[in-house]
Amino acid sequence: GGMEILTASVDGIAKLWRADTGECLKIFEGHRTKVSAMFSLDGKEVLTTSLDAVAKLWSVESGECLFTLTGHADRIVAAAFAPIGIREHPSL
């Protein structure tokens, strides 16, 4: 495959697109309000976070939600993936 583009919307949906054709490849739907989205470091998952206080991890291959992260009392405004091994770094 070629390059892919990930978009996120105020409608609570993230979408994966083919950059060369504009074809929608996957729809990541399951939030109640505005979402942000990012690829994992290896590009195999998509993480969506939302103003609905929920984060979801999705499989890029299947489009299925792998798991839902709950527990925030308010909006999720940022998230990040840690590179493998960073938690073992002696200064952290």
Side-chain angles (χ1 to χ4, degrees), residues 8-89:
S9 175
V10 295
D11 63 8
I13 298 171
K15 294 183 179 185
L16 183 66
W17 310 84
R18 278 187 58 150
D20 58 349
T21 66
E23 174 190 3
C24 182
L25 301 173
K26 296 282 185 316
I27 298 174
F28 306 105
E29 188 171 9
H31 290 282
R32 296 188 322 262
T33 187
K34 178 182 175 182
V35 294
S36 297
M38 70 182 76
F39 283 107
S40 62
L41 297 175
D42 62 7
K44 293 180 180 179
E45 292 90 24
V46 164
L47 177 67
T48 57
T49 61
S50 177
L51 298 183
D52 65 8
V54 174
K56 293 179 176 283
L57 189 69
W58 308 84
S59 165
V60 169
E61 184 177 330
S62 71
E64 296 296 316
C65 181
L66 301 174
F67 53 87
T68 299
L69 305 169
T70 59
H72 286 280
D74 205 345
R75 302 173 294 188
I76 298 175
V77 296
F81 284 96
I84 294 171
I86 195 168
R87 292 181 47 82
E88 287 80 32
H89 193 280

